[in-house]
Amino acid sequence: MNDLVRQHTALGETDLEWLHLLVSEWQLLSDLSFADLVLWVPTLDGSRYVSVAQMRPNTGPTSYQDDMVGHLVPRGRRPLLDAALDEGRIVREGDPEWREEVPVRVESIPVRREGRVLGVIARNTNLLTVRTPSRLELTYLQSASDLAQMIAAGSFPFPGQQVDMDASPRVGDGLIRLDADGVVTYASPNALSAYHRLGLASDLVGQHLGNTTAELAPSRGAVDEALVKLASGWAPRETEVEGNGGVIQLRTIPLKPKGTRIGSLVLCRDVTELRRRERELITKDATIREIHHRVKNNLQTVAALLRLQSRRMDSPQGREALNEAVRRVGSIAIVHETLSQNLDERVEFDEIADRVIAMVSEISPGKVDCRRTGRFGILDAEVATPLSMVLTEILQNALEHAFADGERGAVEVSAVRSGAGRADGRLLITVLDDGRGLPEGFDPQRAGNLGLQIVRTLVEGELGGTFDMVAAEPRGTKVVLDIPSSPQK
């Protein structure tokens, strides 16, 4: 709509915002009217109309099989549009049009803002299925007529009341019509069912909706007065009411077709099951986070015990082996700590990589500079946990074997991600040091030390990737990991 309005019309940005507000609300008018809506705006030179938006009803058959947005028609071809635009009134005169052997009643509603007519809504009703209207249909049509008059007068939609139509109740969810005193004059079957869910044992018609709603909801002191006023339809608002184990969502729309409030529409939807599932998910998320928190605490306890044991070891080799185990356990604990702070089983791995680098750098404080370049991005826990261990092993190996005692150097961890968000995305990780290089005849695929065995097992087995270790130029060693960025099923 933005492009069409800016390209073909003289409307300004504030006018365009008003049209957006109208379009966010007009599903309500379409459903109440059982009719298609097309918004026509005069072009810059006034010689034509351009259709900038279209809405089909959820309550009846469509009158347009084709998409009308972007169509241009010359002024004079549709007299009802001309009359509504020029005279600023709703135009209903004329015989039904026949479209593909379907009779269609056409009406034109001027769209007014601050005294100016911005465009015209063409309301097109498919008459092929018209039958003797029921009480529900009569209430719908009367409410649609009231809303159309408010649009023509510039009092609907309500400024500052942007509505999320995906989350708000719709006409078919449940509709209640109130008079000027807030007394129910009509309640659709779905609306009545929603109030029965709250514990209502009688009919709604004839009852003051605000008082009835407040009685059904648990007592909340002064808040009850606000609920009474809201459910009475005095202002355009949305709220949720909970009682008797049920939850209903309410949206109130004051009706002022001639400037004075004659009543209100209340749309309601039973959201009991939806809220129950949301609470279950919140509880589940909290439980999962608590589990990760406890796992992290247990791993830190294990690391502390191993650290105590290493201090009692007389053998330097045994002490170093336990210290390596402490770092391995610590890398897993870092992942679980991060997961305990998230709402899903995904983590920002750059933070984990930085903490692993800092932890392993303690092996040679101040001598070797370890740094990260590039971004790992967000990874699933199934990838993050083994990858943190792999990174720990590779860095330990570089710091322990690439540099002689007291020798200075650098280790760089770089990450390049391709196809982010895709199932076939890849993560290329390079760990480069400028140390002494690989021994003569070294084969990383056959080397028997525990660290490289862990790396090969995790990379090839759990992560489904490849691992290689080669000589770097002019000196040092380069480790290359190529792994999928998503878990392999």
Side-chain angles (χ1 to χ4, degrees):
M1 186 166 72
N2 286 354
D3 293 340
L4 289 170
V5 169
R6 289 167 180 156
Q7 179 182 354
H8 294 285
T9 78
L11 298 183
E13 290 301 317
T14 53
D15 295 330
L16 180 57
E17 286 303 315
W18 183 262
L19 295 184
H20 274 294
L21 189 60
L22 172 65
V23 168
S24 74
E25 292 271 29
W26 72 342
Q27 180 74 63
L28 175 63
L29 177 62
S30 178
D31 289 346
L32 290 172
S33 304
F34 308 99
D36 291 76
L37 305 179
V38 180
L39 177 58
W40 297 93
V41 180
T43 56
L44 186 61
D45 59 6
S47 65
R48 295 182 295 177
Y49 297 96
V50 59
S51 59
V52 298
Q54 179 180 1
M55 178 57 66
R56 293 184 173 91
N58 293 318
T59 52
T62 184
S63 302
Y64 286 112
Q65 298 298 327
D66 299 327
D67 186 5
M68 295 296 296
V69 175
H71 282 218
L72 289 162
V73 297
R75 185 178 171 86
R77 180 175 295 178
R78 301 194 177 182
L80 297 186
L81 294 181
D82 299 339
L85 182 69
D86 296 339
E87 301 172 23
R89 65 180 180 88
I90 299 175
V91 183
R92 297 191 175 95
E93 299 89 353
D95 297 325
E97 297 181 3
W98 288 83
R99 300 174 187 162
E100 299 180 357
E101 299 183 354
V102 175
V104 177
R105 182 175 64 243
V106 181
E107 304 166 83
S108 295
I109 305 166
V111 177
R112 192 183 303 273
R113 173 181 176 268
E114 296 181 352
R116 296 166 44 243
V117 178
L118 307 182
V120 180
I121 294 176
R123 182 164 56 178
N124 304 269
T125 307
N126 186 327
L127 300 177
L128 198 60
T129 58
V130 169
R131 60 185 185 276
T132 303
S134 65
R135 181 75 187 281
L136 179 145
E137 290 167 327
L138 289 172
T139 303
Y140 276 23
L141 293 172
Q142 180 57 54
S143 302
S145 177
D146 294 335
L147 283 177
Q149 292 182 58
M150 291 170 64
I151 292 173
S155 58
F156 185 84
F158 304 107
Q161 293 291 323
Q162 188 80 27
V163 175
D164 182 0
M165 290 306 297
D166 291 333
S168 295
R170 299 198 176 196
V171 170
D173 295 324
L175 179 140
I176 301 171
R177 175 87 185 214
L178 309 180
D179 64 15
D181 297 322
V183 176
V184 178
T185 59
Y186 176 78
S188 71
N190 283 347
L192 191 57
S193 297
Y195 266 81
H196 285 167
R197 192 72 177 262
L198 288 182
L200 180 70
S202 60
D203 195 0
L204 271 174
V205 175
Q207 298 198 43
H208 189 279
L209 187 66
N211 294 335
T212 300
T213 304
E215 290 171 1
L216 294 172
S219 177
R220 297 178 292 178
V223 181
D224 287 346
E225 296 182 12
L227 180 59
V228 170
K229 190 170 183 179
L230 185 148
S232 299
W234 285 93
R237 293 288 187 273
E238 286 194 36
T239 191
E240 285 189 4
V241 181
E242 185 170 357
N244 194 41
V247 184
I248 64 171
Q249 187 179 19
L250 297 178
R251 181 189 175 200
T252 57
I253 304 164
L255 297 176
K256 304 176 181 179
K258 296 181 180 179
T260 303
R261 196 175 74 88
I262 63 168
S264 305
L265 282 181
V266 179
L267 304 181
C268 60
R269 178 170 61 178
D270 184 350
V271 292
T272 304
E273 293 304 314
L274 178 64
R275 295 297 176 259
R276 181 186 62 81
R277 289 196 297 270
E278 287 178 350
R279 287 171 185 148
E280 287 178 352
L281 288 174
I282 291 172
T283 302
K284 179 182 177 182
D285 289 340
T287 302
I288 291 173
R289 289 200 299 272
E290 178 61 21
I291 289 172
H292 283 303
H293 182 70
R294 294 188 182 188
V295 170
K296 182 263 297 185
N297 288 344
N298 290 339
L299 289 172
Q300 288 180 336
T301 300
V302 171
L305 292 173
L306 291 173
R307 200 174 290 111
L308 286 173
Q309 186 66 43
S310 71
R311 292 170 184 167
R312 295 174 176 267
M313 294 286 292
D314 295 328
S315 166
Q317 293 86 355
R319 187 181 305 113
E320 182 55 34
L322 287 177
N323 288 334
E324 287 182 2
V326 168
R327 289 188 286 272
R328 288 166 185 151
V329 172
S331 67
I332 303 174
I334 290 172
V335 177
H336 282 282
E337 181 180 3
T338 305
L339 287 169
S340 70
Q341 300 167 1
N342 292 346
L343 291 175
D344 54 17
E345 292 288 285
R346 310 188 75 204
V347 295
E348 177 63 64
F349 196 80
D350 295 308
E351 178 186 348
I352 293 174
D354 291 340
R355 294 180 63 181
V356 166
I357 291 171
M359 177 183 68
V360 178
S361 296
E362 295 175 0
I363 297 176
S364 55
K367 293 184 297 182
V368 179
D369 176 32
C370 293
R371 60 182 180 273
R372 172 182 63 86
T373 61
R375 293 194 71 251
F376 289 86
I378 297 175
L379 299 176
D380 292 323
E382 297 173 60
V383 174
T385 301
L387 182 57
S388 66
M389 288 193 65
V390 167
L391 197 57
T392 300
E393 295 299 331
I394 293 174
L395 289 171
Q396 278 189 167
N397 188 71
L399 293 174
E400 288 179 354
H401 303 295
F403 305 98
D405 290 341
E407 184 181 3
R408 295 189 175 277
V411 178
E412 179 180 311
V413 179
S414 67
V416 177
R417 190 165 180 172
S418 61
R422 299 206 316 256
D424 60 346
R426 307 293 297 183
L427 186 59
L428 183 65
I429 304 164
T430 304
V431 180
L432 179 66
D433 69 67
D434 58 358
R436 67 184 69 175
L438 296 173
E440 187 72 26
F442 179 81
D443 184 358
Q445 304 302 328
R446 293 180 173 273
N449 72 69
L450 179 60
L452 288 181
Q453 288 182 18
I454 291 174
V455 170
R456 286 197 300 267
T457 301
L458 292 178
V459 171
E460 297 171 2
E462 287 199 36
L463 295 174
T466 60
F467 157 71
D468 198 12
M469 181 182 288
V470 296
E473 295 295 337
R475 61 176 300 211
T477 304
K478 181 169 71 172
V479 178
V480 180
L481 305 175
D482 186 356
I483 63 173
S485 57
S486 299
Q488 300 301 290
K489 304 301 182 183

